[in-house]
Amino acid sequence: MRKYYIAGNWKMHKTVSESVTLAKSLVSELGSCGERVMIAPAFTALAAVAEVVKGTSIILGAQNMGPDLQGAHTGEISPLMLKDIGVKAVILGHSERRHSYGESDALINKKVLLALAQALEPILCVGETLEEREGGKLESVVGTQLREGLKGVAATVLDKVTIAYEPVWAIGTGKTATPEDADAVHAYIRTVLAGLYSEAAAKSMCIQYGGSVKAENAAELMAKPNIDGALVGGAALKVETFGPIAQFRS
Ligand code: 13P
């Protein structure tokens, strides 16, 4: 039976003590959850949350990282620093990074390659804006983000990469793509991956959906053949809302 990959992106929320409290509740709530569960607190809370999830099945993720190992890069966080405190996964190319902070496909690609070289598992986010969707550009936008983001990624390490499809218009808006619409884009993503790698690689790749995922729609989304997990924002901030998403099968 396939395991779903359910990730919580806490974005710019929670102090260290609030993060520790939530992480402790999640550890007790999801200790026996059958899915892969990841949480990505803010940088300042990572070390404290690492202590809470140590030895449990919950994976620790970061929300971003810098594109270099070390040096004069004021304000950046290196993958070495993340690894040092027990981070295993890293969200890269989130639409908020692309749109609010101007991250380019080239920069995101540099980070993806560096994360993999440092044995961190990247979640590469892709997704179109409403304007792009309505202008018929969905496939070209998502296709470019995938091709550029994965440039130079060897087939041998592809199993360490997750793709998250997050339509920008569905993030934090309460508007979810219908399961059918999301599944269709995921299928398109697999077509692009098959062209870049192989049918087999495309089939086995984990593709998460993100954008207003909640307990009420999680099971319906996960039932779709091309949806392998969820990247959750707002609903990841409380055990009462994230717990049921991660346990959507029970
Ligand atoms: P929401 O679940 O709040 O829509 O956020 C989705 C997201 O951006 C996760 O990375």
Side-chain angles (χ1 to χ4, degrees):
M1 194 164 64
R2 72 173 166 156
K3 260 193 183 188
Y4 290 80
Y5 187 12
I6 311 293
N9 174 7
W10 295 3
K11 305 192 180 181
M12 199 175 74
H13 294 285
K14 298 198 184 286
T15 61
V16 176
S17 68
E18 288 166 349
S19 300
V20 165
T21 302
L22 176 57
K24 282 183 178 164
S25 310
L26 291 172
V27 165
S28 62
E29 175 75 12
L30 300 175
S32 55
C33 174
E35 318 302 346
R36 284 187 84 204
V37 177
M38 182 273 253
I39 53 174
F43 285 130
T44 50
L46 279 172
V49 170
E51 290 304 312
V52 179
V53 300
K54 196 185 262 174
T56 76
S57 59
I58 295 185
I59 300 163
L60 186 63
Q63 299 173 20
N64 185 25
M65 64 172 220
D68 300 280
L69 278 186
Q70 60 189 358
H73 304 289
T74 304
E76 287 294 358
I77 300 281
S78 153
L80 295 175
M81 298 165 184
L82 297 178
K83 269 180 17 175
D84 184 41
I85 55 168
V87 170
K88 306 283 183 225
V90 59
I91 299 168
L92 296 174
H94 191 279
S95 70
E96 287 147 19
R97 301 299 318 169
R98 293 178 186 269
H99 297 289
S100 306
Y101 300 97
E103 291 201 6
S104 65
D105 283 321
L107 177 68
I108 294 159
N109 176 242
K110 192 174 173 196
K111 294 184 184 189
V112 168
L113 294 173
L114 187 64
L116 287 167
Q118 292 302 317
L120 288 172
E121 300 193 353
I123 295 179
L124 171 63
C125 302
V126 299
E128 82 290 0
T129 63
L130 189 58
E131 199 184 356
E132 288 162 345
R133 173 173 277 247
E134 288 176 346
K137 296 194 184 122
L138 190 159
E139 293 195 352
S140 73
V141 168
V142 170
T144 301
Q145 290 172 343
L146 280 170
R147 277 186 280 270
E148 297 301 315
L150 292 172
K151 212 172 242 178
V153 173
T156 48
V157 291
L158 207 58
D159 61 338
K160 303 286 181 268
V161 181
T162 296
I163 305 296
Y165 169 58
E166 298 204 311
V168 179
W169 49 271
I171 296 176
T173 57
K175 285 185 203 158
T176 323
T178 64
E180 291 68 29
D181 280 349
D183 193 59
V185 181
H186 284 221
Y188 171 69
I189 290 172
R190 286 199 208 280
T191 307
V192 175
L193 294 170
L196 289 174
Y197 296 95
S198 65
E199 286 285 347
K203 212 172 156 200
S204 62
M205 192 122 186
C206 174
I207 309 178
Q208 296 173 322
Y209 169 77
S212 299
V213 175
K214 33 190 186 281
E216 294 74 32
N217 57 24
E220 221 188 338
L221 285 160
M222 297 309 126
K224 290 291 168 194
N226 290 296
I227 302 182
D228 306 311
L231 182 54
V232 185
L237 296 173
K238 287 188 191 159
V239 68
E240 295 82 5
T241 46
F242 191 65
I245 295 174
Q247 298 174 105
F248 71 93
R249 285 202 247 209
S250 50

